[in-house]
Amino acid sequence: MSLRKPKDKELESYIESHIEEAIEKEWIQVYLQTNIRGLSKRVCGAEALSRWIDPVYGMISPGEFIPVLEKKRKIQLLDRYVMETICRELGERRRRGQFIVPISMNFSRLDFDVPTLLQEMEEIMEKNSLPRNYVHIEITESAVMENEAYMKDTVRELHTLGYKVWMDDFGSGYSSLNLLKEFEFDTFKIDMRFLSDMGKKSLIIISSILYMAKEIGIHTVAEGVETEEQYRFLKVAGCERMQGYYFARPEPMKEWFAHTKESCEMETEEDCYLYDEIGFVNIISPVPFDLERSDSSPSIHGFETGQPVAVMSEMDGVLKHLNFTKPYRKNLLELGYEGTHQFQDLLNDRSILFTDKMRDIMDLARKSGRIEAMDFLSGGRHCQFQTRLVARKGNKNIFLVRLDILSNIRRFQKNKEFQEALSPLYTVYDMVFVFDLKENLLNPVYVNEIYEGVHESSNLRGEIEKFVENKVYPKDKEACWQFLNPDTMAERVESAEKDFILAYFRSKNRKNEYVWKRFVLIRSHERSKQDRVIFGIHTLNMDKVSMMHKEDQQIFQEGDFFER
Ligand code: C2E
Ligand code: CA
Ligand code: CA
């Protein structure tokens, strides 16, 4: 076959005058491109794409003949032909008991100008006794924009008849977001080619579209998937179905059925139902367990049910809530505050020890630029306050604040007895750590005191050395080091009569004053965990100490620090 390369005009008039013949003589063929299920990688459908294989010009691509057919108002001829071809094939296969999959077809906006289109479609479906869920309709955004009111009715009608309507090329037009609330699409088809660079911005845009689709209850397909990297990203981000050269190229319909049956795993109808049901589960949501979505009470994640966080401004030392989430307020109410205002007033009253500590933490966060945290007890519950500076200018600082009631968190509740045992301990101690001597780990359990070592660390020895060097009164350093020496700690604690050893040292408080503190090392009660020691520090009440007998006080001065 010798092929000629046509001029644009020539091809255009050729297409216009030969479309009927091309259909009749089957120069136009229906190709299928596989749709796969993101979670299982099984075949869950296919898209019908036309090819014009011409005796004179060879392969004419849809990009060439579709615009001409639209311009000349002949596109309906093509789409009706594709619909008939697909439905006949599906019907026959079904009657023969061969496998079939749902197929999505492309409808041009002009197809909907034909008032009889839906009726014809119904007749074709009836003739082939095909359930409506085996055919999906893909409509491009531009088609929708052309005649909004009419399209809206059409989409509704298609739904009533039982068809699924997909929005093709979602995100490529300029009014996508506006169309979202106007139309009831079942599925978005996102074209990766618009965002194929896999750059940071593209990835954020794609995952945000997927996120939004789940939240509003619309299924998702990504097309133009060309790489393993794209597939993996889309899967984690929650894209339900995918299509693209990475999985398969479009193939002539009959070959597609033959080849797919042989070499691919197919999704069953049951699986299809299940996967569609779980399509709206959003594992990257802050509240993935929250599955209720109804029109009457939409759950706006991150606000209604998300994290207990607030934004606070600090100007000339005065704190003010700028914004907060519902869970944040809920936690405050649960802790006995009347609301955010009362908590705010409290934070602005530095004469209260508890708030003064929180403000110290915020000061520390302002200086460090890191997340700083503090534990505290309120009504017997273990709470945690976290904060981080997000912006500063002049005398204004803006903080992000988070307030968790740890005792309410399920994984903490699991250890109810543990909690019960530990809570009183927290009232006594300013800081409680678990030392893992074998693994050289330091784990803060409760820290109600500013201390740089509150973060988990895998350098226990280094942290102890740093602590002794920076925090302990020079005269007490040597003794304190001996007390906290990790090399001999296990042995000393193990041989202690009462499972713990005590000592008193002077160390810095958060105002950098040296105060007497009691240091306790307690043996872990789990037999298998001999290398674990619990370490607590608490500040002594010096008024009480001064009431003791003179000779008892000698202990504090003369360096016999160990008490057994
Ligand atoms: P579309 O609906 O967006 O179809 C997807 C196009 O992307 C197809 O091009 C397909 O072959 C191509 N494609 C699929 N996977 C990949 C990939 O991984 N990488 C790249 N680069 N491309 C991929 P095709 O077949 O040339 O169709 C072009 C457009 O023509 C279609 O875009 C559709 O809008 C239209 N079209 C095709 N067949 C029909 C039809 O029967 N009726 C109507 N109304 N429109 C059709
Ligand atoms: Ca399409
Ligand atoms: Ca598309």
Side-chain angles (χ1 to χ4, degrees), residues 422-466:
L422 281 179
S423 283
L425 196 69
Y426 299 155
T427 22
V428 177
Y429 291 96
D430 302 325
M431 298 199 265
V432 178
F433 296 88
V434 173
F435 291 165
D436 188 325
L437 298 166
K438 199 158 113 208
E439 304 290 336
N440 199 29
L441 301 176
L442 172 126
N443 278 308
V445 180
Y446 181 83
V447 181
N448 179 249
E449 180 65 273
I450 291 195
Y451 169 56
E452 288 88 10
V454 296
H455 307 284
E456 268 183 41
S457 167
S458 54
N459 180 14
L460 172 64
R461 195 188 178 83
E463 295 295 339
I464 292 176
E465 278 169 358
K466 211 162 73 190

Side-chain angles (χ1 to χ4, degrees), residues 52-92:
W52 181 325
I53 299 142
D54 193 79
V56 181
Y57 295 114
M59 175 80 93
I60 308 174
S61 81
E64 286 170 310
F65 65 81
I66 297 227
V68 178
L69 293 178
E70 287 188 330
K71 192 166 144 198
K72 306 295 178 187
R73 306 260 153 183
K74 288 192 162 179
I75 188 77
Q76 308 85 281
L77 295 176
L78 171 78
D79 287 339
R80 191 180 304 127
Y81 168 71
V82 172
M83 190 158 64
E84 274 175 341
T85 312
I86 289 291
C87 292
R88 194 183 326 115
E89 180 72 12
L90 288 178
E92 279 172 13

Side-chain angles (χ1 to χ4, degrees), residues 47 106 138 168:
E47 176 179 10
N106 292 287
E138 290 190 16
D168 204 353

